[in-house]
Amino acid sequence: MNTAIDHVKVALKNHYDILSVQHDYVSAAMVKTAFQGKKPVESKNLLETLDSMIDKLTRKVDKGKRAKGTLSRRNTTKSKVQDFLSSEYKRKDVPLDQIVYAFAEDFADFLMLEQGLENNTAIKYLKNVKQTLKAATERNWLLKKPLAGYKWSYFNPDRDIQDEFEIMQLYNKKLPIARLAEVRDAYVFMCFTGYAYKDASLLQLGHVTKHFDGEDWIIKYRENTWCRENVPLLPIAKEI
């Protein structure tokens, strides 16, 4: 038994030595794979993986298959990760198999404490990183998802809700500055259609059409989900 164990130790040491010549970093998983005679997992770094995901997303945006905002957020995520690695790891990149569970908490703390982001904003960037690692696992660039068990707390923001009386007061108010009047009109339009600013800003005249009831409706596909939505164009929104 002891002889067999010694043989295994020697074999593991030999595999480690060979891998050390080939790679700057050698993980236990790499040694295990080599010892078992399996095909090694393709080694990738985090920023390299983010670049790969961004490149694919860029092509989808160019084809009109994904929203430009999604691409912008992924690029911002990459920038945040670069800042984090430079500040906390003193490195330009990190191998995927060196990422451990604590990476998530350290990254979130960096975003909130060093960059001054709010909890919910930091979570969005962390989710993007987690999705990237999930994609890397699915492509066999990573043996397991290191952040799979990480949970975050989303804080529901405390927002004031305007009632109909307040909205109508704003709608009827005479504003002497044209720029302010345009902002007011945009806000009231969003109140009566349910659109966020981004969706409202992308509306075109061609999106307005007669629907089953003979009235004008806004019929379009949402930019992020590409789901069709039919929104009745109420009188005040139509006037604006």
Side-chain angles (χ1 to χ4, degrees), residues 178-227:
R179 177 175 55 83
L180 294 180
E182 289 179 2
V183 173
R184 184 271 315 278
D185 289 345
Y187 176 76
V188 173
F189 179 85
M190 290 185 284
C191 289
F192 280 89
T193 59
Y195 283 118
Y197 170 77
K198 179 180 178 181
D199 293 314
S201 67
L202 295 174
L203 288 176
Q204 300 176 12
L205 187 60
H207 292 140
V208 179
T209 185
K210 297 291 183 183
H211 206 20
F212 67 94
D213 57 357
E215 299 294 335
D216 288 331
W217 285 56
I218 300 173
I219 300 178
K220 63 184 289 290
Y221 290 88
R222 294 189 66 86
E223 186 178 3
N224 286 334
T225 62
W226 301 104
C227 294

Side-chain angles (χ1 to χ4, degrees), residues 35 69 73 85 124 132 148 191 210 235:
F35 176 75
R73 286 190 291 274
L85 293 178
K124 292 178 182 178
T132 299
C191 289
K210 297 291 183 183

Side-chain angles (χ1 to χ4, degrees), residues 86-98:
S86 176
S87 174
E88 303 300 314
Y89 285 61
K90 310 302 180 187
R91 302 172 66 172
K92 293 183 178 180
D93 208 345
V94 60
L96 292 175
D97 54 12
Q98 285 189 31

